[in-house]
């Protein structure tokens, strides 16, 4: 497999930005001013140009392999949605190689067992991955709204359709079981963030923060794309500064 592309901008300690289903520009655009004080390293996951396409499918285990060599410089890592899964697997394999983790609304539904709404969210996400544009329209639109896609009542925008097709056949998030205890026991500083737009994500993020003994922050106003929400960039920078010089 060819290597993935990482585009760096700015100066200062490195912050590795790992996107989920949407690309880096959509996910991280609001953080651009931080490049005045930090090196923002924008990861392009497989299937997101200029990185090569995946050999078989979107797969968080392959993401973890791609991320592993990017951790040698001990960056801060900020990850969103599906991108959190590969990030956690890579971090658990070498917890000393990350300075801190900021985790935004990951699909770690198994952390909230016996919750009917979370279980439904998991089924919905797995259905869209399995069937793509052939997902029943009502279910597809419900999932896309939860995922922050810019849709209305009319035809789906071309970029949204392209995103669904890119994710089609991807590895189901329900199979992800990162070793959270390894990260917790290593004392990695963790910030878990949500956008207060869906109760299911709030409960998942609460459970993740508890499992990792991490800090918890909520920033409404941008739906699933929490990095664009008011106050997020300031909260992130406070967290990064606090953990930049730790051993």
């Amino acid at each position: 497999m060819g290597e993935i592309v990482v585009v760096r901008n700015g100066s200062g300690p490195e912050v590795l930005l790992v996107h989920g289903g949407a690309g880096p520009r959509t996910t991280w655009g609001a953080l651009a001013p931080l490049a005045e004080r930090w090196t923002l390293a924008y990861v392009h996951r497989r299937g997101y140009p200029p990185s090569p396409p995946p050999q078989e499918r979107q797969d968080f285990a392959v993401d973890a392999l791609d991320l592993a060599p990017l951790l040698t410089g001990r960056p801060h890592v900020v990850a969103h949605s599906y991108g959190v899964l590969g990030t956690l697997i890579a971090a658990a394999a070498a917890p000393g190689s990350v300075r801190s983790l900021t985790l935004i609304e990951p699909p770690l539904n198994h952390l909230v067992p016996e919750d009917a709404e979370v279980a439904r969210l998991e089924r919905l996400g797995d259905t869209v991955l399995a069937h793509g544009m052939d997902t029943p329209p009502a279910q597809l639109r419900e999932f896309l709204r939860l995922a922050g896609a810019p849709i209305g009542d009319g035809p789906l925008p071309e970029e949204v359709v392209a995103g669904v097709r890119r994710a089609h056949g991807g590895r189901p998030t329900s199979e992800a079981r990162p070793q959270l205890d390894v990260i917790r026991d290593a004392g990695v500083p963790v910030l878990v963030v949500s956008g207060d737009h869906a109760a299911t994500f709030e409960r998942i993020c609460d459970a993740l923060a508890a499992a990792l003994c991490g800090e918890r922050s909520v920033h409404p106003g941008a739906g699933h794309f929490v990095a664009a929400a008011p106050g997020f960039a300031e909260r992130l920078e406070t967290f990064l500064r606090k953990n930049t010089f730790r051993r």
Side-chain angles (χ1 to χ4, degrees), residues 109-122:
N109 305 294
H110 73 280
L111 295 177
V112 192
E114 300 180 5
D115 184 303
E117 291 182 353
V118 172
R120 184 173 182 279
L121 173 64
E122 180 173 81

Side-chain angles (χ1 to χ4, degrees), residues 1-6 44-47 50-55 62-63 65-67 69:
M1 294 187 298
E3 294 183 353
I4 61 170
V5 173
V6 180
H44 291 68
R45 294 173 51 240
R46 294 186 183 276
S51 285
Q55 284 193 331
V62 174
D63 289 343
L65 294 175
D66 287 333
L67 291 171

